[in-house]
Amino acid sequence: MKELRIRMLAGVFVVAAVLSWAVARLWNAVGTLPSVPLAAPVVLALIAVVLLATALSLRARLRAQRERRPGAKGVDPLMAARAVVFGQASALVAALVAGMYGGTGAFLLESLDIPARRDQAIYAGFSVLTGLAVIGAALFLERVCKLPEDDDDHTGAAPAA
C-alpha cells in the first residue's frame, strides 16, 4: 500500500480552492452564493476524532504486542489495513472539502462587512481547520500502522549458501 504524499494532498487542496474561488465569483455575479453549512466543520471534526481514536487504540495495542505483555490483544493485519485505507480516503476527501471551503472563504473575505457573509466566512475557516485536522489524524494513523523496515534485505550482503 502506498503512503499518502503531502504534496498530492496540498495539490488537491490548492486546485479545489482555486476552482471554488472562481465558481464562487461566477455564482455571486449570477445570483446569491450558496451558504457554507454549519455542519461541515462539525462532521469533519467528528471524522478527525474517529481517526485519532483509532490511531491511539492501534498504537497502544501494537506497543503491548511488541513488548509481549501477557494478555495483550493483537492487531489483525486486515483490520489495520482497513483503518489505513479509511484514513487515506478521509484525508483525500478532507483535502478536497477543505480546499472548496477555503476558496469560498477567500471569496467571502471581500465582503466581511455583511454579517451573513462574515458568518459564512467563519464557518468556511473552521471547515478548513477541521479538514486539516482530518489530514493530520489520517497521517498519524498511517504512521502508526506502518510496518517497520526489514533491515536484513537492505544490507547488501550476499545470501548464505
Side-chain angles (χ1 to χ4, degrees), residues 35-78:
S35 65
V36 177
L38 178 60
V42 173
V43 170
L44 287 169
L46 287 174
I47 293 170
V49 166
V50 167
L51 287 170
L52 186 62
T54 302
L56 293 174
S57 171
L58 286 174
R59 184 176 71 167
R61 289 172 60 186
L62 286 169
R63 182 178 294 147
Q65 189 177 5
R66 250 190 328 268
E67 295 172 355
R68 297 199 167 113
R69 293 184 195 156
K73 189 175 179 184
V75 176
D76 180 31
L78 187 57

Side-chain angles (χ1 to χ4, degrees), residues 82-151:
R82 286 178 181 156
V84 170
V85 168
F86 172 63
Q88 288 181 345
S90 298
L92 286 168
V93 170
L96 179 67
V97 170
M100 288 173 32
Y101 287 129
T104 302
F107 172 75
L108 290 170
L109 289 176
E110 299 171 1
S111 55
L112 289 178
D113 53 333
I114 302 169
R117 294 259 173 131
R118 181 179 40 240
D119 292 343
Q120 295 299 305
I122 291 170
Y123 297 158
F126 281 135
S127 296
V128 171
L129 291 177
T130 53
L132 293 175
V134 168
I135 292 170
L139 290 173
F140 178 61
L141 174 62
E142 186 178 57
R143 184 169 183 243
V144 164
C145 292
K146 184 177 180 182
L147 293 174
E149 292 292 328
D150 188 10
D151 292 332

